[in-house]
Amino acid sequence: MQESHTSETAQKSIEATIVSGILSAKIRPGTRLGENQLAALFGVSRTRVREAMMRLETRGIVHVSPRRGWFVVEPSAEDAIAVYEARRVVEAGLLRSMAVLTEEGCKALATHLNEERNAMAAGDRQRLTYLMGDFHIRIAELSGNTIIADILRDLTARTILISMLYQSEFHAAQSHEGHCRIFQAMQTGDFVRAAQLSVEHLDEVEMGLDLTTRPDPLSDLRSSLSLPPRTASSISQQPHPKITPSKEQ
């Protein structure tokens, strides 16, 4: 019984650590998650790692590639649209269902918004990325509905993967202002207005995505070699490869 409990705890720890890494923008889309390496890091068997990966796969966080292993998902443009639509439905519905913001909840959100301001002043992009997503998760946690909080945590992680692929500019001030407006409506008890503001906020973020840009599979190597980033114009100018029959010399 003790061994079973320990194994379950290890699986949850692996899942939580990977999701946390994504929420902090430390783990990028397409990152390979080797079973051997994870087993060594967490001190568990490959079987336990595989079980954790399978659970993350059902949550839309990772996928398996035959003979290659596990990878963090690289959301398509269609996935991005679906994820934002899901977030609008979940977050607006959650806020409309809330009746009161407790004094403790009010202090927690006020402290969080202050942390956002401090991170912006420090120019800490990685910290900001985490805080921007965590604001929405905190609201879900304040509602007391753990199921919705878990769903929103996964949707937020997928949103951050989307932003790393399709967001050309990071509009931290705009997102922070959106959060402040939502918080102000919650403070006054106008949760219907807060729900409307959450939809407008998500619309603004989604509008900032360039879903016509395909992810660059060579981005990490390109950065290591100090080569300029791939642009849409350079892609369009590249000739499509042609297959021609070989000729014997």
Side-chain angles (χ1 to χ4, degrees):
M1 179 68 75
Q2 180 65 33
E3 182 180 352
S4 175
H5 175 72
T6 302
S7 298
E8 183 179 352
T9 301
Q11 288 173 33
K12 289 182 178 179
S13 177
I14 294 169
E15 293 176 54
T17 301
I18 291 173
V19 172
S20 177
I22 292 171
L23 288 169
S24 301
K26 295 177 181 177
I27 300 178
R28 296 190 60 80
T31 299
R32 187 176 186 277
L33 302 170
E35 290 183 4
N36 289 332
Q37 291 88 339
L38 288 171
L41 286 171
F42 287 89
V44 297
S45 68
R46 286 182 59 188
T47 298
R48 298 306 177 198
V49 171
R50 195 172 301 117
E51 289 172 350
M53 292 296 102
M54 291 172 67
R55 288 168 60 126
L56 284 173
E57 185 177 34
T58 65
R59 294 165 62 181
I61 304 297
V62 305
H63 72 95
V64 65
S65 178
R67 297 184 297 279
R68 295 183 63 221
W70 297 96
F71 294 83
V72 176
V73 297
E74 296 180 89
S76 66
E78 292 76 14
D79 292 334
I81 293 170
V83 166
Y84 272 94
E85 181 59 30
R87 283 194 60 178
R88 278 189 284 266
V89 171
V90 171
E91 295 189 46
L94 172 67
L95 283 164
R96 281 195 295 268
S97 70
M98 293 179 69
V100 65
L101 178 64
T102 65
E103 183 177 349
E104 182 180 354
C106 185
K107 289 180 179 178
L109 290 181
T111 299
H112 182 94
L113 291 172
N114 190 52
E115 289 177 1
E116 288 185 4
R117 284 188 285 271
N118 290 338
M120 280 192 292
D124 190 342
R125 165 108 186 229
Q126 193 170 79
R127 175 70 175 159
L128 263 175
T129 298
Y130 172 77
L131 290 170
M132 291 302 177
D134 193 53
F135 174 79
H136 301 269
I137 297 171
R138 280 179 176 268
I139 291 176
E141 290 173 342
L142 289 175
S143 75
N145 191 317
T146 57
I147 294 176
I148 293 181
D150 288 343
I151 291 172
L152 191 54
R153 183 174 291 103
D154 288 351
L155 286 173
T156 302
R158 294 170 74 174
T159 301
I160 289 175
L161 292 173
I162 290 164
S163 69
M164 284 192 275
L165 289 173
Y166 301 106
Q167 191 175 50
S168 57
E169 295 182 6
F170 187 55
H171 301 289
Q174 184 183 51
S175 289
H176 174 71
E177 289 167 5
H179 291 173
C180 289
R181 287 192 292 270
I182 294 169
F183 176 53
Q184 288 165 4
M186 294 176 69
Q187 279 184 300
T188 64
D190 192 347
F191 290 96
V192 172
R193 177 59 179 160
Q196 293 172 343
L197 289 169
S198 73
V199 171
E200 292 175 8
H201 169 62
L202 290 170
D203 285 346
E204 287 179 350
V205 177
E206 186 178 9
M207 290 271 295
L209 302 176
D210 182 3
L211 298 179
T212 64
T213 302
R214 291 183 299 173
D216 182 3
L218 302 177
S219 60
D220 290 340
L221 179 59
R222 192 183 305 279
S223 176
S224 299
L225 297 175
S226 299
L227 295 174
R230 187 183 69 166
T231 62
S233 58
S234 65
I235 297 171
S236 62
Q237 291 170 4
Q238 292 177 356
H240 293 287
K242 296 181 180 179
I243 300 176
T244 57
S246 60
K247 296 180 181 179
E248 295 182 358
Q249 301 296 326

